[in-house]
Amino acid sequence: MSPSLPGPRHAPARGRRAFAATWWGQAWVAALEDSTLDAGRLSRGRTYARKGMVGPVTIAPGQVKAAVQGSRPRPYRSSVHLPVLTDTRWDTLLDTIAARAGHLAALLDGEMPAELVDDARRAGVPLLPQPTELDPDCSCPDWGYPCKHAAALCYAIAATIDADPFVLFALRGRSREEVLTQLRACRTAAQETAAPPAPTGIPAAAAYAHWAEHTARLPEPPAPARHATALPVAPPSGTGLATTDLERLMTDTAARAARILAGDTASLHLTQHQDAVRIAASSPGPEWFHRLIQNTGTKPTAFARLTRAWRHGGPTGLTVVEHPHTPDSAAMTAARTALNTALTEMTTAPVSLRAWRNRLTLTDHGIQLRLGPDARWYPCLQEDDGEWWPAAPADTDPVTALTAVWQRTRT
């Protein structure tokens, strides 16, 4: 697992000039401008950025944040989110960079090679953002996606991306130091004498399927023990492994295997990141929770939000929190109609309902419903940090999902 990324702070560029001079900085601006047809809000965002109304910018994995001064005395909290790459995609990207010596040399010289981006794209790894990937958010009451404040933030950060292409890597999930360290490891591994190949083997899921098909039905497995058998010997000194930790993992593995044998395969294909959240959601204690945060490189509040998402929705709950998507428009229209009808009965005050991709947001109540890939609606509430937190189990009926959290915002 990667260590946590620090949140570097950059003073955004000021002045009347083009926001991006390099082709990769211009690609960032193009992704913003292609994500919306609202030219008016983009124009106002450019004006805000030129006037220096964007405060210091914080860059973190998957997001960029800043306070943006609007028409009111208090600045708004604006952010733009970008999906981080999975560990598998990161491995592919690092192999792509390591394959050509010129790629790394150009990056260290402050250049983003177009050939690198093309090679990564052909390998299925998006390094530069696509218009559908940018996910703006702001504490202002503007319904626009993006609003002028989030647009100003996007324009303001373009000059930083111009000057340091590693900012794009940080937004995709890994810092400059991590990328360089991992590239050095790739180069060292390539130079070492290759060890004899290990037996090929087959995936565990395929092995289990073959066993289930060709083996007579066995008696039902016994219930897993609440506590795993103690280790016969202590771990070797100097490994950093603790006996109690290994025994806890043995207990977790036994319980997970029992669930898979019973037909619950939801946790069979988890990534390292997802499995860390799953373990945290089982309430392993503050020490484990803290270590999981450190080893995943996730900020504490973000990890806590993902843990709550798992408790309410399992792996699909994580997908809903981390990856917006564009669902069937008919489903969104039907849900919006049903919610508007229900809201007329729930309150006499007018309620603004804003739709964007798979999200329906009650802007005046801090409620958001997200349609998951499983056709269920996941209710979220906006907390004091400005982020949307999963708040209740999902439901196939958007009105039921709304009702589950409605009263919490009325007190």
Side-chain angles (χ1 to χ4, degrees), residues 14-35:
R14 296 172 180 244
R16 291 184 172 275
R17 62 178 182 82
F19 290 100
T22 64
W23 74 267
W24 59 90
Q26 291 168 4
W28 169 270
V29 174
L32 163 69
E33 295 179 344
D34 291 346
S35 69

Short mmCIF file of all heavy atoms in Angstrom, two decimals, residues 14-35:
data_model
loop_
_atom_site.label_atom_id
_atom_site.label_comp_id
_atom_site.label_asym_id
_atom_site.label_seq_id
_atom_site.Cartn_x
_atom_site.Cartn_y
_atom_site.Cartn_z
N ARG A 14 -2.26 34.70 -11.33
CA ARG A 14 -3.11 35.87 -11.49
C ARG A 14 -2.79 36.54 -12.83
O ARG A 14 -1.78 36.26 -13.45
CB ARG A 14 -2.88 36.88 -10.36
CG ARG A 14 -3.26 36.37 -8.98
CD ARG A 14 -2.82 37.36 -7.93
NE ARG A 14 -3.17 36.90 -6.60
CZ ARG A 14 -4.02 37.52 -5.81
NH1 ARG A 14 -4.64 38.60 -6.22
NH2 ARG A 14 -4.28 37.06 -4.61
N GLY A 15 -3.62 37.47 -13.22
CA GLY A 15 -3.31 38.28 -14.38
C GLY A 15 -4.12 37.89 -15.60
O GLY A 15 -4.65 36.78 -15.69
N ARG A 16 -4.17 38.79 -16.56
CA ARG A 16 -4.92 38.53 -17.78
C ARG A 16 -3.99 37.85 -18.79
O ARG A 16 -3.26 38.48 -19.50
CB ARG A 16 -5.46 39.84 -18.35
CG ARG A 16 -6.56 40.45 -17.49
CD ARG A 16 -7.14 41.68 -18.14
NE ARG A 16 -8.31 42.14 -17.43
CZ ARG A 16 -9.54 41.69 -17.62
NH1 ARG A 16 -9.74 40.73 -18.50
NH2 ARG A 16 -10.56 42.15 -16.94
N ARG A 17 -4.05 36.57 -18.82
CA ARG A 17 -3.25 35.83 -19.78
C ARG A 17 -3.91 34.47 -19.96
O ARG A 17 -4.85 34.12 -19.26
CB ARG A 17 -1.82 35.66 -19.29
CG ARG A 17 -1.69 34.86 -18.00
CD ARG A 17 -0.22 34.71 -17.63
NE ARG A 17 -0.04 33.93 -16.44
CZ ARG A 17 -0.03 32.60 -16.40
NH1 ARG A 17 -0.27 31.90 -17.48
NH2 ARG A 17 0.18 31.96 -15.26
N ALA A 18 -3.44 33.74 -20.93
CA ALA A 18 -3.99 32.39 -21.14
C ALA A 18 -3.75 31.56 -19.88
O ALA A 18 -2.72 31.66 -19.23
CB ALA A 18 -3.30 31.75 -22.33
N PHE A 19 -4.71 30.72 -19.55
CA PHE A 19 -4.60 29.95 -18.32
C PHE A 19 -3.63 28.79 -18.46
O PHE A 19 -3.08 28.32 -17.47
CB PHE A 19 -5.98 29.43 -17.91
CG PHE A 19 -6.89 30.52 -17.44
CD1 PHE A 19 -7.85 31.06 -18.28
CD2 PHE A 19 -6.77 31.04 -16.17
CE1 PHE A 19 -8.68 32.08 -17.86
CE2 PHE A 19 -7.59 32.07 -15.73
CZ PHE A 19 -8.55 32.60 -16.59
N ALA A 20 -3.41 28.30 -19.67
CA ALA A 20 -2.50 27.18 -19.86
C ALA A 20 -1.66 27.43 -21.10
O ALA A 20 -2.18 27.81 -22.15
CB ALA A 20 -3.27 25.87 -20.00
N ALA A 21 -0.35 27.20 -20.99
CA ALA A 21 0.55 27.40 -22.12
C ALA A 21 0.99 26.08 -22.74
O ALA A 21 1.32 26.04 -23.92
CB ALA A 21 1.79 28.18 -21.66
N THR A 22 0.99 24.99 -21.96
CA THR A 22 1.43 23.70 -22.47
C THR A 22 0.25 22.92 -23.01
O THR A 22 -0.92 23.18 -22.67
CB THR A 22 2.10 22.88 -21.36
OG1 THR A 22 1.12 22.59 -20.34
CG2 THR A 22 3.25 23.66 -20.73
N TRP A 23 0.53 21.90 -23.79
CA TRP A 23 -0.57 21.11 -24.37
C TRP A 23 -1.30 20.31 -23.30
O TRP A 23 -2.51 20.11 -23.37
CB TRP A 23 -0.02 20.19 -25.47
CG TRP A 23 0.75 19.00 -24.98
CD1 TRP A 23 2.09 18.91 -24.79
CD2 TRP A 23 0.21 17.73 -24.61
NE1 TRP A 23 2.44 17.67 -24.32
CE2 TRP A 23 1.30 16.92 -24.21
CE3 TRP A 23 -1.07 17.19 -24.57
CZ2 TRP A 23 1.14 15.61 -23.78
CZ3 TRP A 23 -1.23 15.88 -24.15
CH2 TRP A 23 -0.14 15.10 -23.75
N TRP A 24 -0.56 19.87 -22.25
CA TRP A 24 -1.26 19.10 -21.21
C TRP A 24 -2.08 20.02 -20.29
O TRP A 24 -3.12 19.62 -19.80
CB TRP A 24 -0.26 18.25 -20.41
CG TRP A 24 0.84 19.01 -19.71
CD1 TRP A 24 0.83 19.53 -18.46
CD2 TRP A 24 2.13 19.35 -20.26
NE1 TRP A 24 2.00 20.17 -18.17
CE2 TRP A 24 2.83 20.07 -19.25
CE3 TRP A 24 2.75 19.10 -21.47
CZ2 TRP A 24 4.12 20.54 -19.44
CZ3 TRP A 24 4.04 19.58 -21.65
CH2 TRP A 24 4.71 20.28 -20.66
N GLY A 25 -1.59 21.25 -20.07
CA GLY A 25 -2.41 22.20 -19.32
C GLY A 25 -3.65 22.58 -20.11
O GLY A 25 -4.75 22.73 -19.55
N GLN A 26 -3.50 22.74 -21.42
CA GLN A 26 -4.65 23.04 -22.26
C GLN A 26 -5.64 21.87 -22.30
O GLN A 26 -6.85 22.08 -22.41
CB GLN A 26 -4.17 23.39 -23.67
CG GLN A 26 -3.42 24.71 -23.74
CD GLN A 26 -2.70 24.92 -25.06
OE1 GLN A 26 -2.82 24.10 -25.97
NE2 GLN A 26 -1.94 25.99 -25.16
N ALA A 27 -5.13 20.64 -22.18
CA ALA A 27 -6.01 19.47 -22.14
C ALA A 27 -6.87 19.50 -20.87
O ALA A 27 -8.05 19.10 -20.89
CB ALA A 27 -5.19 18.18 -22.19
N TRP A 28 -6.29 19.97 -19.77
CA TRP A 28 -7.07 20.11 -18.52
C TRP A 28 -8.19 21.13 -18.71
O TRP A 28 -9.35 20.88 -18.35
CB TRP A 28 -6.13 20.54 -17.40
CG TRP A 28 -6.84 20.96 -16.14
CD1 TRP A 28 -7.25 22.20 -15.80
CD2 TRP A 28 -7.23 20.11 -15.06
NE1 TRP A 28 -7.87 22.20 -14.58
CE2 TRP A 28 -7.88 20.92 -14.09
CE3 TRP A 28 -7.10 18.75 -14.79
CZ2 TRP A 28 -8.39 20.41 -12.91
CZ3 TRP A 28 -7.60 18.24 -13.60
CH2 TRP A 28 -8.24 19.08 -12.68
N VAL A 29 -7.85 22.29 -19.29
CA VAL A 29 -8.86 23.32 -19.52
C VAL A 29 -9.92 22.81 -20.49
O VAL A 29 -11.12 23.05 -20.31
CB VAL A 29 -8.20 24.60 -20.05
CG1 VAL A 29 -9.26 25.64 -20.44
CG2 VAL A 29 -7.27 25.19 -19.00
N ALA A 30 -9.50 22.08 -21.54
CA ALA A 30 -10.46 21.56 -22.51
C ALA A 30 -11.42 20.58 -21.87
O ALA A 30 -12.61 20.55 -22.20
CB ALA A 30 -9.71 20.89 -23.66
N ALA A 31 -10.92 19.75 -20.93
CA ALA A 31 -11.80 18.80 -20.24
C ALA A 31 -12.87 19.54 -19.46
O ALA A 31 -14.04 19.13 -19.43
CB ALA A 31 -10.98 17.89 -19.32
N LEU A 32 -12.48 20.65 -18.82
CA LEU A 32 -13.46 21.46 -18.10
C LEU A 32 -14.48 22.03 -19.07
O LEU A 32 -15.69 21.91 -18.85
CB LEU A 32 -12.74 22.60 -17.36
CG LEU A 32 -13.63 23.76 -16.89
CD1 LEU A 32 -14.57 23.31 -15.78
CD2 LEU A 32 -12.77 24.93 -16.44
N GLU A 33 -14.02 22.66 -20.14
CA GLU A 33 -14.93 23.37 -21.03
C GLU A 33 -15.80 22.41 -21.84
O GLU A 33 -16.91 22.78 -22.24
CB GLU A 33 -14.12 24.28 -21.95
CG GLU A 33 -13.42 25.39 -21.18
CD GLU A 33 -12.59 26.31 -22.05
OE1 GLU A 33 -12.28 25.93 -23.19
OE2 GLU A 33 -12.24 27.41 -21.56
N ASP A 34 -15.33 21.19 -22.08
CA ASP A 34 -16.13 20.21 -22.79
C ASP A 34 -17.12 19.49 -21.89
O ASP A 34 -17.95 18.72 -22.36
CB ASP A 34 -15.22 19.16 -23.46
CG ASP A 34 -14.42 19.75 -24.61
OD1 ASP A 34 -14.77 20.87 -25.05
OD2 ASP A 34 -13.46 19.10 -25.05
N SER A 35 -17.01 19.72 -20.56
CA SER A 35 -17.90 19.02 -19.62
C SER A 35 -19.24 19.73 -19.45
O SER A 35 -20.12 19.23 -18.77
CB SER A 35 -17.22 18.89 -18.25
OG SER A 35 -17.10 20.16 -17.62
#
